Amino acid sequence: MDKHKILDKRKIRLENILKEDYIPFLSGRPKRITVINKDDIMNLKINLNTIKTFNEFLEKV
């Protein structure tokens, strides 16, 4: 058998669809395990407005 170079151009792959964390296109957001409360939202807003770089924000969160 000849070994041909085959380029896989599929955007949706079966191996990705079978993963538990796969989110189908336009299906909405995943279900949350825990609820985000008002204190969490306030802390995120404070961090967004006080931290200078995105990497710092990620470290804080």
Side-chain angles (χ1 to χ4, degrees), residues 20-61:
E20 287 184 18
D21 61 346
Y22 177 75
I23 302 170
F25 183 66
L26 295 178
S27 69
R29 65 182 170 105
K31 293 182 180 179
R32 298 188 191 279
I33 297 171
T34 58
V35 178
I36 297 176
N37 59 31
K38 290 182 181 182
D39 290 336
D40 292 333
I41 294 171
M42 182 60 72
N43 290 334
L44 283 173
K45 286 181 180 180
I46 290 169
N47 285 333
L48 279 172
N49 290 311
T50 58
I51 294 176
K52 295 179 183 177
T53 65
F54 183 70
N55 289 333
E56 278 184 61
F57 176 74
L58 289 178
E59 289 175 8
K60 273 283 205 197
V61 178

Side-chain angles (χ1 to χ4, degrees), residues 1-10 13:
M1 241 175 116
D2 294 329
K3 292 185 180 182
H4 298 287
K5 293 184 179 180
I6 298 174
L7 180 61
D8 189 2
K9 293 184 177 182
R10 296 177 295 162
R13 298 182 181 179

